[in-house]
């Protein structure tokens, strides 16, 4: 990989991680309730726990802000790529394959920031909403399909975790199929997709156990 590409990849990763580390559920819970959301309900720093603890309005606000993190991170990286393309300092300044990989690297890092935030002791959320923002930016058609299917599963089963887990798996499968059909296979992109979707699933390991045991909390129900 060209040295410049490596520098841009590091820049994309660092910027995105720092954006992801801005955890709105923690900040909003401290502002509204005077305490850290991680000490309430499920202990998760995310929109669902905000909804259960502070109501639907705060849950929706947190959800939208978390989605925005994924969108903003990739927008910034796309602008950086566009800037260096427009300068035309070197005809081979950005190889097409490497350029295409940068948004995926940014997407992975912004989710990492949300899950393991630098500013909050590396204890964050599960990355569902931020991952959605990332997927919508990488491929909005696939993102909408996954979002609709995940919401439908949540509405039918009333298990937010189940819909989220299926969404993570669907993203990996969907991206793999798209790459094959479009003959757009790039190892870095596939690895990032697997890590984004896989991380979302792994972060729900406790939920998976409760789902299997039949003790998982349903949407709208009080935390046991």
């Amino acid at each position: 990989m060209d040295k410049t590409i490596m520098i841009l990849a590091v820049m994309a990763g660092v910027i995105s991680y720092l954006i992801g580390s801005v955890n709105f559920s923690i900040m909003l819970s401290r502002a509204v309730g005077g305490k850290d959301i991680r000490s309430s309900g499920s202990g998760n720093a995310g929109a669902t726990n905000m909804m259960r603890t502070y109501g639907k309005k705060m849950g929706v606000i947190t959800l939208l802000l978390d989605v925005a993190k994924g969108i903003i991170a990739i927008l910034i990286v796309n602008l950086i790529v566009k800037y260096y393309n427009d300068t035309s300092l070197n005809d081979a300044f950005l190889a097409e394959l490497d350029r295409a990989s940068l948004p995926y690297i940014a997407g992975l890092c912004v989710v990492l920031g949300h899950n393991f935030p630098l500013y909050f002791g590396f204890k964050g959320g599960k990355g569902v909403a931020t991952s959605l923002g990332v997927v919508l930016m990488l491929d909005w058609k696939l993102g909408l399909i996954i979002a609709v299917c995940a919401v439908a599963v949540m509405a039918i089963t009333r298990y937010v975790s189940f819909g989220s887990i299926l969404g993570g798996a669907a993203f990996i499968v969907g991206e793999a199929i798209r790459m094959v059909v479009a003959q757009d296979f790039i190892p870095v992109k596939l690895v990032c997709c697997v890590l984004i979707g896989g991380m979302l699933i792994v972060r729900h390991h406790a939920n998976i156990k409760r789902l299997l045991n039949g003790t998982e909390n349903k949407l709208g129900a009080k935390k046991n």
Side-chain angles (χ1 to χ4, degrees), residues 40-61:
S40 303
S42 65
N44 182 59
T48 302
N49 197 26
M50 281 292 287
M51 184 177 295
R52 286 183 175 140
T53 305
Y54 293 104
K56 293 181 180 179
K57 181 179 178 180
M58 294 307 300
V60 171
I61 291 174

Side-chain angles (χ1 to χ4, degrees), residues 19-51:
I19 291 173
S21 290
V22 180
N23 192 291
F24 292 106
S25 64
I26 296 175
M27 294 189 297
L28 289 174
S29 64
R30 288 176 177 176
V32 175
K35 61 179 180 179
D36 195 318
I37 187 64
R38 293 173 294 183
S39 64
S40 303
S42 65
N44 182 59
T48 302
N49 197 26
M50 281 292 287
M51 184 177 295

